[in-house]
């Protein structure tokens, strides 16, 4: 049985020294001993942390990351960014989708994400016609994740309308659109395939209250096995809030909570414009807020009321969403910094028994992330999947930090380059900051970018 010894590791009960891990052939943690013998065990280079789940990704958007930072008009917003995204998606082939996802997932692993929830909404060919196999593009995502060894919760998205009140979809949305029946058929096709893939599973997903009707949500929830992740974009933009008020006389989160029983299976992506009643409802329900700080900042969405939410026990995970940044460090740092900038105060996301901000952020994002992905990850304990990061113990800041100081040094004054090794499902996928497929992936990805941008 492969065995490893870490100088220190973050276990559920806290930091421990000389931690000996044994990993089963299925890739799970089989035995953990503190102060165990190092004989026959691979010695790890520095502190070991549980790998971070990424709760929100649209893989293809990595290809346009950084290209929308050009002022077009004084009112540039999410909606003008979306026009650029629609132009790119209009040309993408299945092969290109897989190459982009493969490159993205390698970059995620190097940045500390060991699993990802892929919010997958491009289903059809460039003319909006279903492929011979309607799950063609979903297979491409699943294949890309297998090739690079990242854990995957695949979330095929139901998307039918262009606005509240079942407005007809427009031409640029033709690749996304399914009926309820074609969506349920897609889930059925994917289920047996994903069940036999290592570290992969299926969830369900509604694009947003703009893109599905209440009847559709009901039909899907009644048709599927409910013990699985359910994701939805919600309350990201003020325009979405005002459109929802015009449609139903309710705000998006208010409407959702009044009409459905929202529980721990739900991941409410963004929830940026939540008022105090909605924050209380979210925290009480056990749902996970899917916070995507760098994307929300990039798109000018607003600041999620994380201090109030955290004080009430609200659960959250972090996502890289549009992939303008691929970094656990950046997402967690900007979660805290957004609250500081708004409040003009320091050290916002603490709790009474834990004043160390880095530890609070990391623990909460691990726990919420594992819940949102519905995967057996998020802590280093027996029975969990062996998904972990090794920080570089030769780095002066890491070498001289003790316990929770390691997280504060890394998250507030360090970078992704301090991650040296990454394991998923008991296999090393990053060694010394390198993935075995990264040269091939970068070459293919460069060619895809040249062709998409031509
Ligand atoms: Zn999104």
């Amino acid at each position: 049985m492969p065995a490893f010894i870490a100088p220190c590791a973050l276990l559920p009960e806290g930091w421990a020294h000389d931690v000996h891990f044994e990993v089963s052939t299925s890739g799970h943690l089989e035995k953990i001993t503190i102060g165990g013998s190092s004989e026959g065990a691979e010695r790890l280079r520095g502190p070991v942390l549980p790998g971070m789940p990424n709760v929100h990704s649209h893989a293809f958007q990595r290809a346009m990351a950084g290209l929308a930072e050009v002022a077009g008009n004084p009112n540039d917003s999410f909606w003008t960014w979306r026009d650029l995204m629609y132009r790119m998606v209009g040309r993408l082939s299945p092969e290109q989708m897989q190459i982009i996802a493969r490159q993205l997932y390698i970059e995620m692993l190097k940045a500390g994400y060991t699993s990802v929830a892929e919010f997958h909404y491009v289903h059809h060919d460039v003319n909006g016609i279903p492929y011979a196999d309607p799950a063609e593009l979903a297979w491409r995502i699943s294949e890309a994740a297998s090739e690079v060894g990242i854990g995957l919760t695949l979330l095929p998205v139901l998307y039918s309308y262009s606005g509240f009140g079942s407005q007809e979809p427009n031409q640029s949305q033709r690749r996304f659109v399914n009926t309820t029946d074609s969506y349920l058929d897609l889930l059925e096709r994917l289920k047996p395939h994903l069940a036999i893939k290592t570290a992969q599973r299926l969830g369900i997903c509604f694009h947003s209250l703009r893109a599905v009707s209440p009847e559709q949500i009901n039909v899907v929830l009644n048709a599927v096995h409910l013990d699985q992740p359910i994701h939805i974009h919600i309350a990201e933009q003020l325009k979405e809030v005002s459109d929802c008020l015009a449609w139903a006389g309710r705000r998006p989160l208010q409407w959702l909570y009044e009409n459905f029983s929202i529980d721990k299976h739900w991941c409410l992506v963004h929830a940026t414009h939540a008022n105090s009643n909605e924050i209380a409802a979210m925290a009480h329900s056990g749902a996970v807020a899917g916070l995507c700080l760098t994307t929300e900042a990039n798109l000018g969405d607003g600041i999620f009321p994380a201090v109030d939410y955290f004080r009430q026990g609200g659960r959250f995970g972090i996502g890289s969403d549009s992939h303008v940044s691929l970094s656990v460090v950046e997402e967690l740092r900007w979660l805290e910094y957004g609250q500081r900038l708004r409040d003009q105060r320091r050290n916002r996301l603490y709790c009474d028994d834990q004043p160390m901000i880095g530890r609070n952020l990391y623990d909460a994002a691990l726990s919420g992330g594992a819940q949102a992905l519905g995967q057996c990850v998020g802590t280093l304990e027996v029975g969990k999947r062996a998904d972990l990061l090794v920080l570089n113990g030769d780095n002066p800041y890491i070498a001289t930090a003790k316990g929770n100081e390691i997280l504060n040094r890394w998250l507030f004054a360090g970078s992704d380059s301090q991650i040296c090794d990454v394991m998923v499902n008991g296999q090393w996928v990053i060694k010394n900051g390198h993935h075995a497929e990264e040269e091939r992936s970068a070459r293919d990805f460069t060619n895809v970018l040249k062709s998409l941008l031509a």
Side-chain angles (χ1 to χ4, degrees):
M1 203 179 290
F4 308 90
I5 185 146
C8 62
L10 182 59
L11 303 181
E13 56 274 22
W15 287 93
H17 290 279
D18 299 320
V19 182
H20 190 267
F21 298 99
E22 289 180 40
V23 176
S24 71
T25 46
S26 68
H28 291 74
L29 292 164
E30 180 97 350
K31 195 172 172 196
I32 300 175
T33 330
I34 297 168
S37 152
S38 60
E39 208 181 304
E42 179 182 343
R43 186 165 285 281
L44 305 180
R45 275 178 66 190
V48 171
L49 299 167
M52 184 60 71
N54 184 334
V55 303
H56 193 61
S57 163
H58 307 290
F60 73 90
Q61 292 181 11
R62 181 60 173 162
M64 59 175 279
L67 295 181
E69 315 306 311
V70 183
N73 72 62
N75 294 318
D76 273 342
S77 68
F78 170 88
W79 310 99
T80 51
W81 169 87
R82 195 177 71 161
D83 292 340
L84 177 70
M85 184 267 283
Y86 281 176
R87 283 203 295 280
M88 199 194 67
V89 93
R91 312 177 54 182
L92 208 59
S93 73
E95 294 74 19
Q96 290 171 328
M97 175 71 98
Q98 185 170 340
I99 289 167
I100 296 168
R102 189 174 68 201
Q103 172 71 18
L104 170 75
Y105 294 158
I106 289 174
E107 294 184 49
M108 273 189 199
L109 289 168
K110 293 172 80 164
Y113 295 114
T114 45
S115 50
V116 56
E118 181 65 35
F119 198 108
H120 171 67
Y121 63 89
V122 185
H123 300 298
H124 310 312
D125 75 10
V126 292
N127 298 310
I129 312 291
Y131 289 99
D133 179 348
E136 169 76 34
L137 291 175
W139 300 141
R140 298 289 182 160
I141 295 291
S142 165
E143 261 318 295
S146 291
E147 283 181 276
V148 309
I150 197 169
L152 173 72
T153 294
L154 182 60
L155 303 162
V157 175
L158 178 58
Y159 193 123
S160 300
Y161 302 110
S162 68
F164 288 97
S166 306
Q167 299 169 37
E168 283 304 302
N170 60 45
Q171 268 293 93
S172 45
Q173 294 162 337
R174 63 190 180 279
R175 300 194 72 178
F176 316 153
V177 174
N178 272 303
T179 62
T180 313
D181 285 345
S182 64
Y183 178 71
L184 291 172
D185 174 63
L186 179 64
L187 294 180
E188 283 305 311
R189 285 169 186 272
L190 288 166
K191 208 187 298 175
H193 171 86
L194 288 178
I196 56 168
K197 284 268 194 173
T198 302
Q200 297 196 6
R201 69 161 299 166
L202 192 62
I204 59 175
C205 190
F206 305 105
H207 179 273
S208 57
L209 296 180
R210 305 191 301 273
V212 296
S213 69
E215 296 73 28
Q216 288 184 297
I217 301 178
N218 265 318
V219 169
V220 171
L221 292 180
N222 286 326
V224 299
H225 173 54
L226 280 183
D227 190 19
Q228 59 184 318
I230 308 168
H231 288 224
I232 186 169
H233 287 131
I234 194 146
E236 177 179 7
Q237 286 278 322
L238 280 175
K239 180 177 185 309
E240 185 188 339
V241 177
S242 56
D243 287 356
C244 191
L245 280 165
W247 165 65
R250 294 284 186 278
R251 300 161 53 83
L253 282 157
Q254 179 188 19
W255 186 90
L256 190 71
Y257 273 86
E258 283 180 5
N259 286 277
F260 292 95
S261 91
I262 305 300
D263 62 15
K264 65 184 168 88
H265 294 96
W266 286 75
C267 178
L268 307 173
V269 179
H270 305 302
T272 312
H273 299 287
N275 67 19
S276 56
N277 290 337
E278 291 161 340
I279 282 295
M282 287 171 66
H284 183 70
S285 70
V288 173
L291 306 178
C292 307
L293 294 302
T294 56
T295 294
E296 289 153 9
N298 184 272
L299 294 176
D301 287 343
I303 299 175
F304 177 75
V307 173
D308 291 347
Y309 184 64
F310 197 66
R311 295 277 188 279
Q312 295 177 56
R315 302 176 64 68
F316 68 82
I318 51 167
S320 55
D321 191 356
S322 69
H323 314 303
V324 282
S325 165
L326 286 165
S327 168
V328 170
V329 168
E330 272 212 76
E331 296 305 329
L332 291 177
R333 188 181 290 171
W334 281 103
L335 172 54
E336 168 69 19
Y337 279 0
Q339 310 297 304
R340 292 188 191 188
L341 288 165
R342 181 199 55 213
D343 298 345
Q344 300 180 45
R345 303 270 294 280
R346 299 192 70 248
N347 298 331
R348 305 309 290 143
L349 296 171
Y350 64 90
C351 41
D352 291 339
D353 56 355
Q354 183 50 267
M356 302 294 265
I357 303 299
R359 176 69 188 277
N360 279 320
L361 292 169
Y362 205 78
D363 275 357
L366 282 174
S367 165
Q371 179 181 321
L373 267 65
Q375 300 216 11
C376 190
V377 296
T379 51
L380 298 176
E381 61 186 317
V382 170
K384 291 285 175 80
R385 200 164 75 210
D387 284 15
L388 53 86
L389 316 180
V390 183
L391 297 182
N392 182 358
D394 299 327
N395 178 280
Y397 303 100
I398 303 296
T400 54
K402 291 185 179 55
N404 291 332
E405 287 172 3
I406 296 169
L407 286 164
N408 277 352
R409 280 285 208 188
W410 178 44
L411 296 176
F412 288 98
S415 71
D416 307 325
S417 67
Q418 288 163 329
I419 301 170
C420 53
D421 307 314
V422 179
M423 177 184 283
V424 178
N425 200 52
Q427 305 289 324
W428 291 117
V429 285
I430 303 294
K431 262 295 192 190
N432 294 320
H434 182 260
H435 190 285
E437 288 291 319
E438 73 177 69
E439 285 77 17
R440 175 173 77 101
S441 172
R443 269 195 310 274
D444 292 349
F445 182 58
T446 304
N447 289 331
V448 166
L449 287 181
K450 281 180 183 162
S451 127
L452 281 177
L453 303 174

